[in-house]
Amino acid sequence: MVLSKSGQYTCTVQTKWYKTDGTEMRKQVSASITVTYVKASTTVLTASSTTVKLGETVTLTCVVEGYPEPTTPTLTKSGSQIDWSSACTGTNRKECLKVFSSTTLSDSGEYVCAGSNTIDNTENKSEDKLDLTIEGDVAVSLTQTPAGSEQNKGSSVTLTCKAEGNPLPTKLTFKKGDQVLKSYSGGDDSSITKGTYHIQYEHPISSLVLADTATYKCEGQNTVNGDVKDGSAPPLDLVVISAVEVTLTPTHATPAKDESTTITCTATGGRKPHIVELKKGSTIVKSHPTDSGFCTETDSFTLECTYVTSAGYASGGKYDCIGKNTVANSQVATVTESINITVSEPVKVTLTPASSKEVTVGTGITITCTVEGGKEPHKVTLTKPDTSVITWLSDGTGSTELSCSGDHVKTCLYEITTVAYSDEGNYQCDGYNILPGQTSEQKDTAQVSLVPVKDVSVTITKGQVSSFNEVSHGDPFTLGCQADGGRIPFYLKFEHTPPSGQASEIVLYNKPSTTPAEVTVSESENTLTYDYSVSSADYNHGGTYNCLSKNRAASNAEKSDSGSQEITIVKNVTSVITSPDIVDKGSQLRITCSADGNRPPHYVALEKDGVMIKNWTDPATNCSSSTLYNITCGYDVADVGYSDGGTYGCISKNKALEQKLVSSKDTKTVEISQSVLTSFSPSSTTELLWGSDSLNLLCSVEGGLPPHEVNFEIPNGTTYSWTRQSSRTVSNSFTCNGDHELRCAHQVISTTFDNTGLYKCTGYNKLPNSSMDRNMEKTVEIVVVKDVEASLTSTSDTDEVSFGAALNLTCNVKGGRAPFYIRVQFTDQDGGVSNLIEYNGSNMPDNIREEKNSLEYVHVINGVGYNDGGVYNCSGKNRAYENEEKTDEMSKEVVVVKNVEIDPVEDIEADHGTSFTFTITLNGGRSPHLVKLENTGSQIFNWQKDSDVCTGTNVLTCTKVVGNSDVNFGYDSVYTVTAQNTAKDKTDHTATKSFKVTVYKDVSAAINPSSDSTMTYHVDTTITCNVIGGLPPHKVDLILPNQVTKTWSKDGTGNSLTCTGTHEKTCTYTFTPEYNSDGNYKCVGYNKVRSEEEKQQESTVVQLTTVRSTEVTISNKTLSVLTNGTVDVNCTIVGKPLVDIAAVSWSHATLPDLDLSGNVSTVKGSQDDYTLVSTLSIVNPLTEYSGSFNCNVLAENNQVITKSVVVSINNREFLDAPTVTHNGGEAVEQDTKMSITCFVKGFPRPSATLFYRNLVDGDESRKIPDAPSIDKISPTATEFVFQLSTSCDYTQYKFICETNSTKYTDSRVLKESNSVQGPIVIGCENAAESNTGVMIASGIAAVLFVIIILGGIYILHLRRRQSPKSATGHVVYVNTNPENLVEVEQTSEHKYDDVVLHVSTGEAAYVNTATPALHLYNDVVIPTQTTDDTPYAYARSEDVVRHNIRPPVYNNHELR
């Protein structure tokens, strides 16, 4: 039979007959039969290519054909189902495609496509298999852990060489540079890790050394279709970093002087040192890389640098080797190593000059001592002829006379700048050093002899002879002849030639024949000396003196020298004047002047009183002379007058010692004789006005000898005395001028009262021949007149006088003639007048002081009081010009001022609820005008003048009664009195005074909570102490259980309570209750009252108890365990009071009959007395134990607290590739909410991540950021549902699910992934018009598809009504219990859950409860009483989601 023969076949039979009445009757009978074509399903799986290169595209095509329509085929690989890339097409011939767009090696394997259809309730299965091979050329990688090309020396790294490919690579080579470290060519090798498509070698280095620096390589090989494929990874450079290390070694540390030394400097580091320097001292000897050939590379990290020193001392010294290299972060490391080279040579000394040496005296010579040695000489000594020793020491502590320089060759200089005879003799130089490795000194010595020589030289010395070779007549002088020579002179002759020209020998020394004793020989000075002396010189001692001497000098040659000296005898000129001492006025006078001296006088003159009156030019000619050296000159005066008297002087001059001009003067006083005469002007009494008339008095005095003294006495008793020996001007007001006729004047420009009185003038002189004074006096009276003036002054600068200050008021009346009347009156502030003093010319009181032309009275007030304020008046009288009576007066006001003062106010003590009184006293001048009393924030009173609170004027008293029964702690305060007045300088002054009001009350205490109560464990609790008292409480105690006290004290020491307030203290203590916080609590307050009496009061005692509600915690919420492991869970119960151990039990949520008592241990007190720990421990658990284990606690009020742990148990660890589905159908519009389901099998339970991308253009994958909902279906099955809102950015979606699971056994991470083709996005504006036709066609197809589906469901419904009992299709039903999401596998050892369907119309469900044990029931049970033809929903989960039909109810009847 063929498909075309299918259909409905009808057989129709018609008959015709007639009734008896002849009516024709017709009847037609039809019968139909439907013939259906059936064919069992067949499956064919093909590939576009069964062998594909890695990364290429391959398509698998599966075609399933059958009648009736076959089911959609499945594609599996290694037991894992793979989704088709797109929806399958066709009905009776279904074609499905799987496209691998970019193949990976893991895509290789056997693929199975399975399909089926059902004929007469019999399922016909078919399948086809295909092997797909993904060929991949070998890919090689080389990685390093930890990463980084620079690694520190000593650290550890692991290098991993990996080759991957299909077929599996057969060769793997790991190299260090060109050195092969590992070569693998197949077979078993424990160091090689193999996978399905890769082989791998790990090369660990536990402690890096410099030699590990290299370029590492990894190479691999596999064979693809007979072609050998080689691959290599990019080389990996590893640099081992370490700071440079330096070693420094010499061939000889102590070479001899003629030996050289090789110094080797080795610098090692990673990286290789880039700079090596060899220094001697601060000088760079060699440097790498500057000096080629200095260093050679011994390996990749080491430079060996050599330097050969020259022979000699220069090779010795300190050598530094400096190495530098680059370390991490481009930093440069620098290391220095040092050595010392010491040249070994015994000490040797040489001297220059080397032998005996003649040296000219007076010249210089340097003795050079050269000391050579290695080590360096440390000491040099020079012994001089006088046996003194000069020492040089290398440490600088020796003598500076010996200057040494150099290192190993010390050049020591001893310099004689001027050779003297004392330098003659032997000089010895000693040098010292210590050889390397020895401790004792070595020494060497050299000597030289010096002989000073000099040609004889003669020196004539002078004593008491001028620089002009002159000697004053009569003076002593000496001449010395000294002959100096090296060797000592043997001859000396001294002779004199006087002015007469005849020479005479004074002394002769001629060794050895003549050696007079007066010639002195000095062996040490190499001299002959003769001294010649004259005690009193006369003209014969002048002339020429000559000295001759001889000696044998250098090379014993005779040398001679002579010297001469001229001597001149000189005398200073002397003058003599002669005349009479006294000459009468009108007589004759004769004066003579004589001059004597050598050289002869060339000048003679006569002066009077310092003025020359006669000069005798060429006195030798114009005056008479008795000898060449004596001249006499005469001078005559006729009719002598006063002007001829005076002092005459005779002056003469000549050139004497050193050709200096010398003069001589002799004086003589001549006096003129006449008696004194005196006169006065004015000559009678004179009256002058005060201050307006000047006073001029003239006293004339004449006499010869001239008047020598004038005394001028004025009325105040002062005497002006003029004498001729003193200045002619005595004072500015008295002057005298003249000689014999003297005029003395006294002048006062502005007259005062002091000028009134008797004036007297007296003149004095002496006669020339008498020693007695002669005098004459004259007198005159002067009267100064002025109207009387009164003045009143005080010791105060102003009218204001400070209260209590001392005050003097002075009344003074002045006038000329003197006042005869004085009076002082006082007018007080009330107008009362009183005389303080009055005088009217008789009976002068003692307290009036009378002075010339004035009367004065001082009124003294030692301490000014307020009553001393008022007006004072001073008045006086006198007789003035022409005796007329005059009167004058003056007044002064005195204002007494004082800054306002407040008398001290005593502190007030008041009782709580009782009134009290303020009394305040204050004073001030001027009188206070404001008084106020305040405390904090309030004013008690404010008094102004004329108010009734305060009384008085300068002294005020203020009284105020405050409060009554309402006096409380608010009155307990510091009060301030403020007063104000206008005081000195009319400035307002303010005074304040504070006092304290203390309100007393005995302390009281209360506690809150005020009665017994409970506290919640670990919930902060606050206890409050309320303490009231006045004085304020100074201490509060909170007594806790076990007599622990929390305290607050006013002094702040040890405070553990927090208190606020002053009189009413609120003190809190907050703590976290513990189990041991139970007990009695009370508060205690303390304060002090009057007389510092301390009061104490306790609160009531309250009992507080800590309680804690039962709490249950479990150590794990989920747990995955292998069957060879242990389920180990702790359930911790805390509470106060604590439940009994019997109140704790364990159960299994789905195995109620499972007895767990043998696996439970419950212990009390492991932590404290209020904690139970119940431990559930099941060793090697069965897989059927998977589910929820409950820890059940019967707590207070019979409340059961349950905490669960979901335990998943499996016998192996694995991870299958995930299955990815979605609910988007073939096409969706944008902004459609889609669910993508990733179904994963694995243990331990895996995690999943979903990526999506555009299937058409293959853009970059994106991760769905929101966490999925997770359905834990079974211990090994998990469903992850991700949500996505579609976008027109994607033409068609592709979803990729990546999963991973971490194994318990070795912590290895298992990873799998899979993908599914998503829906096409439609309805986007850009494609609206172009896709209109497509959308209409798609819509028609969709309608037809719905009709077909509904028809199929209806046929199925009719068939099930015909066979309502069973349908034997292999349907897998899923347990959706939300607390135990596990998948029940279809095995003979399990009984499936009944599945009850709910009709869409909402009919009641039918439950099949008659399922016997140990049978499999996959039936979908339909209620038999159903008459509604509404189709029932399929029980498959994908249908539930796709068609939005209410899910079925699954009843778990699974039993063991």
Side-chain angles (χ1 to χ4, degrees), residues 1123-1331:
T1123 53
N1124 60 357
T1126 301
V1127 175
D1128 199 347
V1129 183
N1130 288 332
C1131 181
T1132 302
I1133 305 99
V1134 296
K1136 186 171 182 284
L1138 182 63
V1139 301
D1140 191 72
I1141 292 177
V1144 183
S1145 64
W1146 286 82
S1147 64
H1148 193 285
T1150 57
L1151 299 175
D1153 297 331
L1154 182 61
D1155 185 6
L1156 299 174
S1157 60
N1159 302 97
V1160 176
S1161 171
T1162 303
V1163 178
K1164 177 182 179 181
S1166 60
Q1167 300 178 17
D1168 52 52
D1169 290 338
Y1170 303 99
T1171 302
L1172 289 177
V1173 178
S1174 182
T1175 302
L1176 173 66
S1177 181
I1178 305 174
V1179 180
N1180 299 326
L1182 301 175
T1183 56
E1184 53 265 34
Y1185 287 176
S1186 295
S1188 294
F1189 287 86
N1190 299 330
C1191 175
N1192 308 300
V1193 179
L1194 181 60
E1196 56 269 17
N1197 301 323
N1198 288 324
Q1199 175 191 6
V1200 177
I1201 302 174
T1202 299
K1203 293 294 179 179
S1204 300
V1205 55
V1206 177
V1207 180
S1208 299
I1209 304 169
N1210 200 50
N1211 54 12
R1212 66 188 180 95
E1213 294 176 299
F1214 72 98
L1215 179 64
D1216 290 343
T1219 300
V1220 187
T1221 61
H1222 63 83
N1223 67 347
E1226 295 181 354
V1228 293
E1229 294 183 348
Q1230 68 171 340
D1231 296 328
T1232 300
K1233 300 295 184 180
M1234 282 184 59
S1235 296
I1236 302 94
T1237 302
C1238 184
F1239 177 78
V1240 190
K1241 284 188 176 182
F1243 190 88
R1245 194 173 301 281
S1247 61
T1249 305
L1250 188 68
F1251 297 88
Y1252 62 95
R1253 63 181 177 85
N1254 202 331
L1255 178 64
V1256 176
D1257 53 15
D1259 63 349
E1260 183 179 354
S1261 297
R1262 297 186 181 180
K1263 178 183 175 181
I1264 292 182
D1266 296 333
S1269 62
I1270 302 174
D1271 188 3
K1272 300 177 181 178
I1273 298 172
S1274 73
T1276 60
T1278 309
E1279 186 176 76
F1280 301 89
V1281 180
F1282 297 86
Q1283 302 297 325
L1284 174 68
S1285 180
T1286 60
S1287 169
C1288 281
D1289 293 337
Y1290 294 83
T1291 306
Q1292 184 174 8
Y1293 280 94
K1294 179 177 181 179
F1295 301 108
I1296 304 100
C1297 178
E1298 294 183 357
T1299 62
N1300 65 75
S1301 174
T1302 302
K1303 297 174 67 176
Y1304 292 132
T1305 53
D1306 58 7
S1307 298
R1308 189 159 57 92
V1309 177
L1310 304 177
K1311 294 184 179 180
E1312 293 290 346
S1313 66
N1314 209 344
S1315 63
V1316 67
Q1317 179 175 313
I1320 298 172
V1321 181
I1322 62 175
C1324 298
E1325 293 179 1
N1326 295 342
E1329 294 181 1
S1330 63
N1331 291 333

Side-chain angles (χ1 to χ4, degrees), residues 30 128 314 394 419 477 722 731 864 939 987 1456:
S30 297
D128 193 12
S394 61
V419 174
F477 71 93
W722 176 90
S731 70
V864 173
Q939 191 175 84
T987 301
R1456 274 293 186 191

Side-chain angles (χ1 to χ4, degrees), residues 790-825:
S791 67
L792 182 60
T793 60
S794 75
T795 53
S796 174
D797 295 336
T798 65
D799 292 344
E800 296 176 335
V801 181
S802 296
F803 181 90
L807 177 66
N808 291 346
L809 293 169
T810 302
C811 174
N812 183 280
V813 290
K814 275 185 185 179
R817 299 177 175 81
F820 60 87
Y821 178 84
I822 186 172
R823 182 185 69 188
V824 178
Q825 282 185 337

Side-chain angles (χ1 to χ4, degrees), residues 908 915-920 932-933 939-942 948-950 957-963 975 995:
I908 298 173
S915 64
F916 56 93
T917 301
F918 294 106
T919 301
I920 301 163
K932 61 181 176 181
L933 177 63
Q939 191 175 84
I940 308 306
F941 65 79
N942 188 342
D948 58 356
V949 175
C950 302
T957 300
C958 306
T959 303
K960 180 72 173 181
V961 178
V962 177
Y975 290 76
F995 61 95

Side-chain angles (χ1 to χ4, degrees), residues 57 131 135 311 362 753 947 969 1224 1360 1424:
T57 300
D131 287 325
E135 293 180 343
F753 297 131
S947 175
F969 294 130
R1360 287 185 174 177
T1424 56

